[in-house]
Amino acid sequence: MAKKPNTEQHTSVPIVSSSHLVSPRSAEMSEFEFGLIVAGNAFHRWIIHCMSAAGLKDLTPLDVLVLHHVSHRARDKRLSDICFIMNVEDTHLINYSLKKLQALGVVASRKSGKEVTYSSTALGNDYVQRYREIREGCLINALKADESLNRDIGELARLLRVLSGVYDQAARSAASL
């Protein structure tokens, strides 16, 4: 006699990395944080491999992101602006990436009075363009996004920006304790 499948509803157990942090008021926040950790690590692995495939090897995720930001809109950027836009508090981290990228010849600096600005070189632009082509072929094509999925991705991006503000405020509160 075949056993009938169990159709009983099971309570969903949150998928988290730190069960001791799960709040009865928002287990979903712990699920979100675990998803953010896993997605963040996957994203970092992706951008390193994509940039390596484009020809720039041995960069950290931050190096790749700094190069992309410096290349953004083909405008010179100040260190403080790069840190602000990327939401990086420690300017030394960004400065180290900028020095590394300058040594590779993909970023140039220019001094105007007391201010130093950074821009992508022609070589840097070539790597960024190659990265874009690889991204289209490997990531965007694999995503197979339709209008509905693109809408969901846009909403997720909006929610991430909202939550980054909540985390920033919570960090300020914790720092004042």
Side-chain angles (χ1 to χ4, degrees):
M1 197 174 197
K3 208 173 184 186
K4 280 176 41 177
N6 186 355
T7 55
E8 213 177 289
Q9 290 289 337
H10 293 283
T11 305
S12 178
V13 177
I15 299 173
V16 299
S17 66
S18 304
S19 61
H20 60 278
L21 296 179
V22 176
S23 170
R25 293 175 49 209
S26 183
E28 294 81 2
M29 195 61 160
S30 291
E31 286 186 285
F32 165 77
E33 289 171 346
F34 181 57
L36 190 60
I37 291 165
V38 173
N41 288 328
F43 175 69
H44 286 167
R45 189 170 38 257
W46 154 248
I47 64 174
I48 288 169
H49 286 291
C50 187
M51 189 55 84
S52 183
L56 268 180
K57 300 181 184 328
D58 301 322
L59 296 183
T60 67
L62 188 60
D63 298 335
V64 174
L65 296 172
V66 168
L67 177 57
H68 283 303
H69 183 65
V70 168
S71 300
H72 179 61
R73 301 189 197 261
R75 286 191 219 141
D76 288 4
K77 313 284 188 314
R78 296 178 307 163
L79 174 63
S80 60
D81 294 331
I82 297 167
C83 291
F84 177 72
I85 293 297
M86 294 182 67
N87 201 17
V88 175
E89 200 171 279
D90 189 350
T91 59
H92 295 91
L93 294 173
I94 301 294
N95 198 41
Y96 182 78
S97 283
L98 287 166
K99 299 291 181 220
K100 184 175 178 179
L101 295 168
Q102 284 179 287
L104 292 170
V106 296
V107 166
S109 65
R110 188 171 57 88
K111 194 165 184 174
S112 176
K114 292 181 180 181
E115 200 162 81
V116 177
T117 59
Y118 300 88
S119 60
S120 183
T121 64
L123 180 61
N125 290 333
D126 290 344
Y127 282 119
V128 167
Q129 181 58 38
R130 180 72 183 126
Y131 179 103
R132 184 184 193 288
E133 292 163 3
I134 294 166
R135 182 177 180 271
E136 283 291 321
C138 293
L139 181 67
I140 302 302
N141 288 345
L143 184 61
K144 295 182 170 82
D146 60 9
E147 192 175 315
S148 175
L149 181 56
N150 280 331
R151 228 182 353 266
D152 289 347
I153 292 169
E155 179 58 21
L156 180 58
R158 186 195 68 75
L159 184 57
L160 283 170
R161 288 188 303 273
V162 168
L163 287 172
S164 73
V166 172
Y167 277 107
D168 280 342
Q169 182 56 47
R172 283 189 290 279
S173 296
S176 70
L177 295 178

